[in-house]
Amino acid sequence: MKLIIQIPCYNEAETLEVALNDLPTHIDGIDEIEYLIINDGSRDNTVEVAKRWGVDHIVNFKQNQGLAKGFIAGLDGCLRCGADIIVNTDADDQYKGADIEKIVRPILNGEADMVIGARPIDETEHFSYIKKKLQHLGSWSVRRASNTNVPDAPSGFRAFSREAAMKLNVVNDYTYTLETIVQAGRENIPMMSVPIRTNAELRPSRLFKSMWGYVKKSILTILRAYVMYKPLKAFTLISLPFIFIGMGIGIRFLYYVSVGRSGGHIQSLILGCTLIIIGFLIFVIGILADTIASNRRILQDVQFHVKSIEYGREPRMEAPLFTEEREVLKRIK
């Protein structure tokens, strides 16, 4: 059983060694532990620090690609290196390395394929009051969108089984944390959270430049992920106000017709019909989007099996499939 711990890095020369020194070298149930960094176009000597420390693998970007692309590139690198379990942590030593054992244990025990470390947000001193409330609000929104009970959605301290890592896709350029939870929840990937601890802040977060920017990008990421995985429901909800308002205006016009006062209300009839047509068109777009989503699920399944072949290991099965059919084929042969 091989564990690879990956760390996305962008100009992390000052803090990387601190984070690496905090990582575990032995975990019961794990035969090998290796370390991988994703150098996301760093302009300092991040790579030199990693090599001097003895990092096993380095994924290099010539220029900064962003956290989401770096995360996916790291998963791909870990899978190519034969990882059975992948842990993602930060280069600023935000999370305690000793808690890696806590987040890999449910995977080792077969309880989950994706484990998220839940930080003690209310007890974290370097989080402002507003940031704490926004963290809770963001996690609540992700729980609603993903149909899960994840208490700390923005946490980047995560563990993935090999199968879960091969199924994940991130299409936004901002962050992987929110979208992967929505995907895992909607694709029924076994997922759970465990409480973890955090270290003192070594440097300010670089993920967002302002609180408003963080909120705006997070909302867009959640909405986009939800529409991607539940398009028919999303577009139906958008279409209903147009249809109901249009029908209300139409019923109002019919009332005036019934009492002989329809004159002067033709404009409202036109408005009502326009709103109903708009609502119907939005609903049709939802049907088309749902069809596209079905094709996307087929492509994801194909991608999963292609990755299984490419990385040289077939996915584990819960139980043998088609046992009776195989026995029949053996007898025929």
Side-chain angles (χ1 to χ4, degrees):
M1 182 69 70
K2 178 188 283 191
L3 165 66
I4 297 183
I5 303 171
Q6 71 169 35
I7 307 177
C9 298
Y10 179 61
N11 296 334
E12 303 288 2
E14 295 182 2
T15 61
L16 179 58
E17 189 169 0
V18 177
L20 290 169
N21 288 333
D22 196 37
L23 299 179
T25 58
H26 172 76
I27 295 175
D28 291 339
I30 300 292
D31 301 311
E32 300 176 70
I33 299 179
E34 296 181 357
Y35 311 93
L36 177 146
I37 71 161
I38 304 102
N39 174 37
D40 193 10
S42 298
R43 300 304 179 191
D44 61 2
N45 61 333
T46 295
V47 174
E48 287 73 17
V49 170
K51 288 180 178 179
R52 186 169 62 247
W53 189 87
V55 166
D56 300 279
H57 314 284
I58 298 176
V59 175
N60 267 309
F61 287 153
K62 293 182 179 179
Q63 63 181 20
N64 184 256
Q65 300 291 324
L67 184 59
K69 290 185 178 179
F71 169 77
I72 290 297
L75 291 186
D76 182 73
C78 291
L79 290 168
R80 291 181 185 279
C81 294
D84 296 293
I85 300 176
I86 301 168
V87 166
N88 185 86
T89 188
D90 285 356
D92 61 357
D93 198 37
Q94 176 183 173
Y95 311 107
K96 286 189 177 293
D99 286 342
I100 287 178
E101 181 171 4
K102 294 177 66 176
I103 65 172
V104 302
R105 187 59 55 190
I107 297 177
L108 289 172
N109 294 339
E111 299 171 2
D113 281 331
M114 179 174 169
V115 183
I116 301 172
R119 298 166 293 178
I121 293 175
D122 291 326
E123 288 76 40
T124 304
E125 295 181 358
H126 60 269
F127 281 5
S128 66
Y129 175 81
I130 296 177
K131 185 173 182 179
K132 290 177 182 179
K133 294 304 178 183
L134 289 175
Q135 294 275 7
H136 287 305
L137 178 60
S139 296
W140 176 83
S141 301
V142 171
R143 287 195 295 272
R144 298 286 295 178
S146 62
N147 196 28
T148 63
N149 59 354
V150 176
D152 185 11
S155 172
F157 194 46
R158 304 181 175 197
F160 307 90
S161 70
R162 185 177 182 85
E163 287 75 20
M166 288 193 291
K167 291 178 180 178
L168 292 177
N169 290 291
V170 178
V171 298
N172 80 89
D173 296 327
Y174 175 52
T175 179
Y176 63 90
T177 56
L178 308 179
E179 184 178 340
T180 50
I181 293 176
V182 176
Q183 180 184 356
R186 294 300 175 181
E187 297 293 336
N188 296 317
I189 297 175
M191 175 173 51
M192 65 181 295
S193 294
V194 295
I196 55 136
R197 300 162 294 169
T198 56
N199 295 312
E201 186 179 38
L202 295 181
R203 61 159 177 78
S205 174
R206 297 173 182 167
L207 187 58
F208 55 91
K209 296 180 180 180
S210 67
M211 197 65 67
W212 166 243
Y214 170 74
V215 172
K216 181 176 66 174
K217 288 183 178 180
S218 296
I219 291 173
L220 291 175
T221 300
I222 295 170
L223 289 176
R224 185 177 183 183
Y226 184 77
V227 171
M228 181 181 297
Y229 293 100
K230 286 290 182 180
L232 183 58
K233 184 176 181 180
F235 281 100
T236 299
L237 291 174
I238 295 172
S239 70
L240 288 178
F242 291 94
I243 294 175
F244 285 149
I245 294 174
M247 290 178 63
I249 294 174
I251 293 172
R252 174 177 174 270
F253 177 79
L254 292 176
Y255 166 76
Y256 283 122
V257 170
S258 65
V259 297
R261 295 169 53 192
S262 60
H265 295 283
I266 298 299
Q267 296 90 337
S268 62
L269 175 62
I270 295 173
L271 176 61
C273 292
T274 302
L275 291 174
I276 293 173
I277 291 171
I278 291 173
F280 178 74
L281 290 176
I282 293 174
F283 178 73
V284 171
I285 292 173
I287 295 175
L288 295 176
D290 191 62
T291 304
I292 295 171
S294 299
N295 290 329
R296 177 189 52 76
R297 286 191 288 270
I298 295 172
L299 291 174
Q300 281 187 205
D301 188 55
V302 171
Q303 181 191 50
F304 174 73
H305 289 288
V306 168
K307 285 183 176 180
S308 301
I309 297 170
E310 182 180 1
Y311 299 138
R313 193 179 308 173
E314 286 295 323
R316 293 193 303 268
M317 296 295 182
E318 295 294 331
L321 299 180
F322 308 116
T323 304
E324 295 179 359
E325 289 83 347
R326 287 173 180 162
E327 293 299 323
V328 171
L329 288 173
K330 287 181 181 178
R331 289 197 292 270
I332 293 174
K333 290 180 180 179

